[in-house]
Amino acid sequence: RQQKWKSSVSTQAKMPPCDFVPEKYESYPYERMQKIREQHIVPSLRTYYKKPLLLHQGHMQWLFDHEGRRYLDLFAGIVTVSVGHCHPKVTMATQKQLARLCHTTNIYMFPAIHEYAEKLTSLFPDPLKVIYLTNSGSEANDLAMFMARLHTRNFDIICLRGGYHGGSPYTLGLTSLTPYKHGVANGFGCTTTMLPDVFRGPWGGSHCRDSPVQTVRKCSCTEGACLAKDEYIEQFKDTLNTSVPKTVAGFIAEPIQGVNGAVQYPRNFLKEAYQLIRERGGLCISDEVQTGFGRTGSHFWGFQTHGVVPDIVTLAKGIGNGFPMAAVVTTKEIASSLAQNLHFNTFGGNPLACVVGAAVLD
């Protein structure tokens, strides 16, 4: 008779201790919340788990549901809560500004936007010293596309397959993942090229990328060379030579792809791709929505891990620790192209957003 093996080691996960006591939940019962969700909230806003969580309060790395159950938040609100839920320093700064001046538009001068602009741009290398504040990553990427086209007077933008750059009608052309594509016309002027994925792609061996996780394929590269990178660059050249005009508006890429599964490129791929784009009159855009603000660990911005300086950088998510804010960072010359006519954002860079952003940086 087969005996069941018993482990002496407990496999039951134990939560680390936490002294924080959440407030008592006093809103609608769970069943009523579910009914409201079904009747009044668009079904495209899906929930996770068979019994969706009804979250009530957050404190640093912890979340609490309506029954007081505690969770360790490893998802951080889709990699957005960069310094912890309701961080006391961010909360205090927000409350002070809320009582002083919640909103006025940036057609007037107010301290917060100037203080934040100086603080944020000090973290960027020259000549990336001019910012335009928006409310979301899709907005930021939308504006980056617009600026690239205005400045270069070209139209076509290259993007990588598997990239996610937003769900707005404009950025949907850059987003190259089937679940996000809808059966309507989109993507005019956006051309995808092969993703240089050394783990799942046709080329790549061990040590092709800066990661503790490598493909099991052996690498036949010599010291200082990467055959996979060369192959993917050839595919990039092929796209440039066949699918777009001789001059392009730009190229956009995440330093590490996020939604597509943390894809890292072979060393020096971005450096060579940037050079090829610039030879054709285009601008290089780094989408730092998920990789910015220290997410990659070794550097504050993901593009720094590739040894490149983009022409435009887009920021969101971790920038505001959950507050709806985003930014486009670029050069004075490129930013001037947008000043030919009016381009206005009502809430972008309002006093509350700027104070939140500054508190997060601090």
Side-chain angles (χ1 to χ4, degrees):
R1 200 171 68 185
Q2 190 178 7
Q3 279 189 319
K4 285 188 176 179
W5 178 76
K6 273 191 173 182
S7 169
S8 59
V9 180
S10 172
T11 55
Q12 182 66 42
K14 290 183 179 178
M15 295 280 275
C18 172
D19 296 331
F20 181 80
V21 179
E23 298 171 9
K24 185 182 176 184
Y25 176 79
E26 294 179 343
S27 189
Y28 300 148
Y30 185 89
E31 292 71 24
R32 185 175 175 188
M33 289 292 194
Q34 277 191 310
K35 192 168 283 187
I36 291 170
R37 183 109 193 173
E38 290 166 8
Q39 293 177 349
H40 302 299
I41 295 179
V42 293
S44 62
L45 295 176
R46 300 171 186 172
T47 51
Y48 276 24
Y49 309 115
K50 288 179 181 176
K51 186 179 180 182
L53 301 184
L54 176 53
L55 297 171
H56 162 54
Q57 192 167 359
H59 173 72
M60 300 305 287
Q61 69 267 43
W62 306 112
L63 284 169
F64 300 86
D65 69 10
H66 67 296
E67 295 176 326
R69 190 180 289 108
R70 178 165 58 103
Y71 299 86
L72 178 59
D73 184 10
L74 300 175
F75 199 37
I78 315 180
V79 294
T80 298
V81 181
S82 50
V83 296
H85 293 280
C86 304
H87 191 293
K89 290 183 179 179
V90 178
T91 300
M92 189 181 298
T94 307
Q95 288 171 339
K96 278 186 179 179
Q97 186 60 41
L98 196 59
R100 184 185 300 125
L101 179 64
C102 177
H103 176 76
T104 185
T105 73
N106 46 49
I107 62 173
Y108 307 112
M109 290 177 67
F110 50 87
I113 192 170
H114 302 87
E115 292 166 0
Y116 183 59
E118 186 176 63
K119 191 171 286 189
L120 182 62
T121 55
S122 71
L123 297 167
F124 282 89
D126 286 326
L128 297 169
K129 295 297 180 182
V130 181
I131 66 170
Y132 190 110
L133 295 165
T134 66
N135 308 290
S136 73
S138 292
E139 264 189 73
N141 283 330
D142 206 285
L143 180 57
M145 294 172 73
F146 190 47
M147 288 171 115
R149 285 168 169 166
L150 273 176
H151 184 72
T152 63
R153 299 189 179 276
N154 298 324
F155 191 73
D156 292 75
I157 296 177
I158 311 288
C159 53
L160 297 176
R161 289 173 200 145
Y164 179 84
H165 301 287
S168 66
Y170 218 26
T171 57
L172 203 57
L174 302 178
T175 293
S176 185
L177 288 160
T178 298
Y180 293 92
K181 292 287 192 183
H182 295 265
V184 297
N186 71 80
F188 181 51
C190 301
T191 300
T192 64
T193 190
M194 181 183 278
L195 173 63
D197 184 349
V198 297
F199 194 78
R200 293 175 297 180
W203 303 289
S206 54
H207 310 301
C208 272
R209 61 183 189 169
D210 297 314
S211 172
V213 181
Q214 298 289 354
T215 176
V216 294
R217 293 180 293 204
K218 296 299 177 188
C219 205
S220 56
C221 300
T222 56
E223 186 68 30
C226 181
L227 298 179
K229 181 266 296 175
D230 293 342
E231 294 287 358
Y232 289 118
I233 283 293
E234 284 303 312
Q235 292 296 313
F236 196 83
K237 286 179 180 176
D238 186 61
T239 300
L240 289 171
N241 292 333
T242 61
S243 303
V244 292
K246 289 180 181 178
T247 55
V248 296
F251 165 60
I252 187 169
E254 304 156 82
I256 297 174
Q257 280 193 346
V259 177
N260 193 36
V263 176
Q264 291 177 266
Y265 321 129
R267 291 181 183 90
N268 294 320
F269 172 83
L270 271 191
K271 189 176 281 189
E272 292 193 24
Y274 273 27
Q275 184 179 341
L276 290 167
I277 289 294
R278 284 169 173 157
E279 286 172 359
R280 286 159 176 79
L283 301 182
C284 300
I285 304 167
S286 182
D287 179 338
E288 299 276 350
V289 171
Q290 292 198 22
T291 53
F293 299 93
R295 287 284 186 193
T296 63
S298 60
H299 295 78
F300 207 71
W301 309 116
F303 67 79
Q304 293 170 316
T305 66
H306 295 274
V308 297
V309 177
D311 302 295
I312 301 175
V313 182
T314 56
L315 313 170
K317 292 189 182 287
I319 190 174
N321 203 49
F323 193 89
M325 65 180 299
V328 177
V329 185
T330 188
T331 69
K332 194 167 186 177
E333 184 186 8
I334 294 168
S336 296
S337 303
L338 197 62
Q340 298 167 21
N341 290 295
L342 288 174
H343 188 86
F344 183 70
N345 192 308
T346 300
F347 298 106
N350 84 346
L352 202 56
C354 291
V355 164
V356 170
V360 169
L361 286 182
D362 289 345

